Amino acid sequence: MELFMRKDVPEEMTWDLSAIYDTETALEADKKRVDELGRLLEEKYKGKLTDAQAISACLTETQELYEKAGLLANYAELAVSVDYYDAHNQALSESINTLIAEVLSRISFIESEILMQDESTIGEAIALGKGNACYLRGLLHKKPHQLAPETERVLAALQPLFGAPYQTYNMAKLADMRFDPFRVGDEEFPLGYSLFEDAYEYDPRTEVRRAAFRAFSDKIRQYENVTAAAYQSQVQSEKIMAKLRGFDSVFDSLLFEQEVSREMYDRQLDLIMERLAPHMRRYAKLLQKVYGLERMTSADLKLSIDPDYVPSVTIEESKEYIEKGLAILGEDYVEMIRTAYRERWVDFAQNQGKSTGGFCASPYGSHSFILLSWHNQMADVFTLAHELGHAGHFKACNGAQSVYDVDVSTYFVEAPSTMNELLMAHYLLKTNPDKRFRRWVLDCMVGKTYYHNFVTHFLEAVYQREVYRLIDAGGSVQAETLNRIMRETLQKFWGDAVEICEGAELTWMRQPHYYMGLYSYTYSAGLTVATQVCRRIEEEGQPAVDDWKRVLAAGSTKSPAELAKMAGVDITTSQPFIDTIDTIGAMIGEICQLTEEI
């Protein structure tokens, strides 16, 4: 199947960004207003933030600037993400990013001047509230790492340059990288990033699947050096910033932003590597047996346990599945889902130049926007439920909190999304007692939900830890080094159960999360919270649901550990991770048993 150009995609398959700006005139008006607000704030408050009343008034007025800047930045990023060939949107994005950087540089004095005041004055400003209290507490938290006002101003102005590595990565991956078709026997197959990751990796035909893996790997290998250079720039800039701000390591700097301790981070990675690997090796061996493979390779790990039992699902049919699966979260939640379909919050299209994978953007002052590529598979339903989890989360906190209090730590942010996948699966398990159906649902959980978050992203996180260790020691990374680290990571996890075939070491090239700090490891943290809360909901019903919805509305007013505790989970200990890994092992055991019985 040849992918459409964006202009040829049916409108109903695309999202409607006019919910943010219906005309470029409206967008330009907000650009002008943001610039104007920056100048007004500077004129009105610079050199005058010396008492609680002035601090509170300034921060309250600044909320409008952050709201409008957020709408502008999201609009630009969303417009570019669906078509990296669109030069107009690329230029628009550059102009918006430049404007925002200039304005943030202009108003950088606000944080600097507030932090020059004594804590009693800041405490008085906190007491005045007005949606500014948590922001001010956050400033006090980072005060030891604040630099001189002029330095902070310069760093704010340089923000577009700090985003250059990610932009380079995306341009190479989504605009410059063109895939040729590959052949199996006499048949020719089209190839692209989304086609490979969303279709061929799951293809039950061994020759097609492995040929696609080889062709895909051969193509991305041609870009390994430029991708490594972009990544080297990213991690070195993070190291420089960590050192400038007085952190002992890159880890400390990045975890500080998430409000997570190094102990929590390391324990999580080490625990999963030790306890989960044996379960997943057993799962890989089962796949090898079911498919009659002489050897199990890394190109075979995304297979379904029962390829003949994978229902085709249309977009319209997915609506019913998701509404019923998430109905336990209440009628208001279900109405949000209906609205998302009705008002085109989702970009379902497959087209050239579109970002791969899936994400949800939730600009303050608008509704969420979800990107994915629809392939009429049940996996797409779970992906959409996942992204709607983000939408439901930010609908709740954006409605309850000020613009300052919705920047939820990435350590927790994947809990609401993975929760939705689990609720969907538990709903499906209750709809049909057939053994084959039950095995299929359990395999969706193990082979999709848990595999994606507890294997794919976990292995990326283990690899990433080794990269930062090298950078912290004063080293640098090139393609050869990154390939070696990734191969060693895969070999350590899979042991002799899986042959790490040529090309698997290039997995590091496929993940944009590396340009977002320590993000990959947070997926297993979020899913651990979700697993434990889902169990509470199954056992306790409405009280657990009510607790969860209070968590969703809390935004960033609580730390990740506090949010988890509100939901009944102590994420600061090993037990939730051990329980979750045991849950995965039990499901794999049941899949093996059902396979024997079927």
Side-chain angles (χ1 to χ4, degrees):
M1 180 186 67
E2 189 67 31
L3 291 183
F4 289 113
M5 296 301 291
R6 183 67 181 182
K7 63 182 178 60
D8 300 318
V9 172
E11 183 181 81
E12 63 271 16
M13 296 289 288
T14 67
W15 54 27
D16 181 11
L17 295 185
S18 69
I20 305 178
Y21 296 112
D22 55 359
T23 64
E24 284 212 14
T25 301
L27 181 147
E28 290 297 330
D30 264 7
K31 286 175 65 177
K32 183 178 179 181
R33 178 59 177 162
V34 165
D35 185 55
E36 179 183 71
L37 282 168
R39 297 179 189 281
L40 288 172
L41 288 165
E42 184 179 33
E43 291 170 7
K44 187 173 181 180
Y45 291 106
K46 190 169 185 180
K48 301 174 184 176
L49 297 179
T50 55
D51 61 80
Q53 291 290 344
I55 290 170
S56 181
C58 176
L59 291 180
T60 299
E61 289 182 38
T62 306
Q63 288 182 33
E64 182 189 352
L65 185 152
Y66 283 127
E67 289 175 25
K68 290 190 179 300
L71 291 172
L72 286 166
N74 273 276
Y75 183 90
E77 184 176 349
L78 292 169
V80 168
S81 69
V82 293
D83 188 1
Y84 271 82
Y85 299 141
D86 190 316
H88 173 75
N89 285 335
Q90 291 280 356
L92 179 65
S93 178
E94 291 290 343
S95 70
I96 287 173
N97 289 338
T98 299
L99 168 67
I100 291 174
E102 289 174 353
V103 172
L104 292 181
S105 177
R106 186 176 295 124
I107 66 167
S108 64
F109 74 89
I110 295 175
E111 286 194 4
S112 297
E113 288 191 21
I114 291 173
L115 288 175
M116 290 169 63
Q117 310 312 310
D118 57 53
E119 291 195 14
S120 62
T121 301
I122 298 174
E124 290 175 28
I126 289 173
L128 293 173
K130 299 181 181 178
N132 305 325
C134 289
Y135 172 82
L136 286 166
R137 292 192 191 99
L139 279 189
L140 287 175
H141 176 61
K142 70 178 187 179
K143 185 174 184 177
H145 303 284
Q146 188 79 358
L147 302 176
E150 183 60 21
T151 305
E152 293 290 352
R153 187 188 70 78
V154 172
L155 289 175
L158 291 173
Q159 280 304 309
L161 297 182
F162 294 145
Y166 184 42
Q167 185 180 26
T168 301
Y169 167 79
N170 272 328
M171 291 300 290
K173 174 181 175 180
L174 302 171
D176 289 347
M177 203 176 291
R178 305 293 182 96
F179 291 85
D180 297 322
F182 65 95
R183 301 190 69 86
V184 177
D186 295 330
E187 190 172 358
E188 184 174 271
F189 296 85
L191 185 60
Y193 236 105
S194 180
L195 275 175
F196 174 72
E197 293 190 334
D198 298 332
Y200 290 127
E201 280 198 294
Y202 303 93
D203 198 302
R205 298 167 294 178
T206 299
E207 287 188 4
V208 172
R209 184 179 63 256
R210 291 180 177 176
F213 185 90
R214 286 192 299 272
F216 179 82
S217 300
D218 288 345
K219 173 54 68 172
I220 66 173
R221 190 183 299 280
Q222 296 172 14
Y223 294 82
E224 65 178 349
N225 291 312
V226 68
T227 308
Y231 189 32
Q232 164 71 6
S233 298
Q234 175 71 27
V235 295
Q236 288 293 355
S237 68
E238 288 169 336
K239 174 64 177 175
I240 291 167
M241 288 304 302
K243 189 173 182 179
L244 280 174
R245 294 197 178 278
F247 289 98
D248 292 333
S249 72
V250 181
F251 294 104
D252 294 335
S253 173
L254 297 176
L255 292 171
F256 180 85
E257 296 175 7
Q258 298 175 349
E259 296 183 89
V260 174
S261 70
R262 181 71 183 272
E263 180 189 8
M264 288 171 63
Y265 168 77
D266 282 326
R267 181 179 61 228
Q268 178 180 325
L269 294 187
D270 294 338
L271 195 65
I272 296 173
M273 178 64 80
E274 175 191 350
R275 289 177 175 262
L276 182 62
H279 293 305
M280 295 312 301
R281 291 172 190 176
R282 183 185 183 192
Y283 181 69
K285 289 290 189 184
L286 177 63
L287 288 174
Q288 181 179 8
K289 180 180 178 181
V290 167
Y291 282 83
L293 300 174
E294 182 178 340
R295 57 194 182 95
M296 184 70 182
T297 79
S298 41
D300 306 318
L301 287 168
K302 298 291 184 72
L303 287 168
S304 167
I305 203 74
D306 193 349
D308 297 325
Y309 202 80
V310 180
S312 177
V313 185
T314 66
I315 292 172
E316 185 58 33
E317 289 168 340
S318 72
K319 182 170 175 283
E320 182 178 358
Y321 274 113
I322 294 175
E323 283 185 23
K324 290 181 177 178
L326 302 180
I328 194 169
L329 295 176
E331 179 57 31
D332 57 336
Y333 204 95
V334 173
E335 182 54 34
M336 179 204 72
I337 294 167
R338 295 186 186 120
T339 304
Y341 280 87
R342 185 172 60 247
E343 296 184 358
R344 290 172 46 212
W345 294 14
V346 186
D347 200 275
F348 296 99
Q350 298 180 53
N351 62 263
Q352 295 184 43
K354 181 178 176 178
S355 292
T356 60
F359 68 74
C360 176
S362 301
Y364 195 91
S366 183
H367 60 65
S368 292
F369 294 87
I370 293 168
L371 178 143
L372 51 81
S373 296
W374 193 262
H375 295 271
N376 292 318
Q377 298 174 354
M378 184 56 76
D380 300 328
V381 181
F382 279 89
T383 299
L384 183 50
H386 175 108
E387 301 304 341
L388 284 166
H390 290 305
H393 182 191
F394 285 98
K395 182 177 188 295
C397 69
N398 286 2
Q401 308 296 340
S402 79
V403 69
Y404 293 127
D405 296 336
V406 296
D407 189 16
V408 181
S409 169
T410 52
Y411 188 84
F412 186 85
V413 81
E414 294 299 338
S417 53
T418 52
M419 166 68 85
N420 277 14
E421 293 189 61
L422 297 182
L423 292 175
M424 282 288 302
H426 281 275
Y427 160 75
L428 290 172
L429 285 172
K430 296 172 185 175
T431 63
N432 190 334
D434 179 72
K435 288 184 177 181
R436 193 177 182 191
F437 180 83
R438 182 174 180 82
R439 182 180 68 163
W440 170 74
V441 175
L442 290 171
D443 188 56
C444 282
M445 296 174 76
V446 172
K448 304 291 191 300
T449 298
Y450 283 102
Y451 191 98
H452 186 67
N453 298 284
F454 256 82
V455 179
T456 299
H457 288 319
F458 163 72
L459 291 174
E460 292 162 354
V462 173
Y463 150 87
Q464 188 181 35
R465 180 168 62 171
E466 294 307 310
V467 170
Y468 281 125
R469 282 173 173 168
L470 195 159
I471 295 299
D472 261 343
S476 60
V477 291
Q478 293 76 38
E480 182 179 352
T481 305
L482 297 173
N483 289 341
R484 175 184 56 78
I485 294 173
M486 180 56 76
R487 177 171 286 278
E488 290 173 353
T489 300
L490 295 172
Q491 288 172 334
K492 181 178 180 181
F493 185 81
W494 291 110
D496 60 4
V498 177
E499 176 187 319
I500 308 304
C501 55
E502 189 71 20
E505 73 280 1
L506 299 172
T507 303
W508 64 269
M509 293 181 65
R510 295 164 53 184
Q511 184 50 266
H513 290 153
Y514 297 141
Y515 298 84
M516 304 170 191
L518 291 174
Y519 191 1
S520 292
Y521 90 102
T522 66
Y523 280 85
S524 50
L527 184 50
T528 295
V529 173
T531 300
Q532 303 306 309
V533 177
C534 187
R535 182 177 298 165
R536 271 199 69 205
I537 290 174
E538 291 288 316
E539 294 172 353
E540 302 175 27
Q542 196 59 45
V545 172
D546 292 342
D547 282 347
W548 185 239
K549 294 178 87 169
R550 280 191 286 271
V551 169
L552 298 183
S556 57
T557 62
K558 306 287 184 183
S559 71
E562 290 170 336
L563 290 170
K565 188 174 183 179
M566 286 173 65
V569 184
D570 186 359
I571 202 73
T572 64
T573 70
S574 299
Q575 200 57 49
F577 293 96
I578 293 172
D579 290 345
T580 300
I581 293 168
D582 288 346
T583 298
I584 299 170
M587 284 191 287
I588 291 172
E590 186 173 355
I591 292 169
C592 290
Q593 180 62 39
L594 288 169
T595 300
E596 291 296 324
E597 294 175 7
I598 294 170

